[in-house]
Amino acid sequence: MKESEYQKPLPTISSLNRPYWDGLRRRELRLQKCVGCGLTWYPPAPLCPGCWSRKFVWTQLSGRGRISSWVVFHQAYFRSYEADIPYNVVEVELDEGPRVLANLLGANSEIRYGMPVEIVFDDVTEEVTLARFKPRTV
Ligand SMILES: [Zn+2]
């Protein structure tokens, strides 16, 4: 879809978070991992939130995790989401530790705490691929 056709909010891509967005376009979930203490974190930040080290590497994650919280929106706070009501926003605790906010494909009524999920790459524009999730069996 061309950017002009996609009406929902888009991320601001900066030098700090570009490896994350470039990774999603390549079907890879990449986050920063601290060389000093081993912590992996989200969202992208210039230093480790665990030990404040500036030494990190962008590492590829499994894209697997479990639902740790969620909400279902019944009111459209953005006009571009009106057709999606009711829609969910889930918090996924990734197997590697970080928690990310995303949308879960499937029925809102089937969302459960601890539900195993895996990443889905959604190309919303030529430049932007979003991370969404879907249920997985194991
Ligand atoms: Zn650290």
Side-chain angles (χ1 to χ4, degrees), residues 64-135:
R64 296 158 65 97
R66 292 179 179 273
I67 300 293
S68 48
S69 187
W70 75 95
V71 64
V72 175
F73 284 87
H74 294 271
Q75 179 175 336
Y77 292 96
F78 294 92
R79 180 164 290 182
S80 54
Y81 281 85
E82 281 178 351
D84 298 332
I85 297 288
Y87 67 89
N88 68 68
V89 173
V90 297
E91 182 189 70
V92 175
E93 183 174 352
L94 298 168
D95 286 357
E96 295 84 357
R99 294 184 177 196
V100 299
L101 296 176
N103 170 247
L104 183 73
L105 304 177
N108 293 332
S109 61
E110 294 180 6
I111 303 173
R112 297 287 182 272
Y113 175 80
M115 181 181 200
V117 296
E118 64 185 358
I119 197 168
V120 175
F121 300 95
D122 185 7
D123 298 317
V124 297
T125 71
E126 290 180 9
E127 292 79 27
V128 176
T129 300
L130 298 180
R132 301 175 80 188
F133 286 83
K134 67 178 181 182

Side-chain angles (χ1 to χ4, degrees), residues 34-39 41 48-53 55:
C34 179
V35 173
C37 74
L39 184 71
W41 67 87
C48 172
C51 73
W52 295 10
S53 169
K55 292 184 179 176

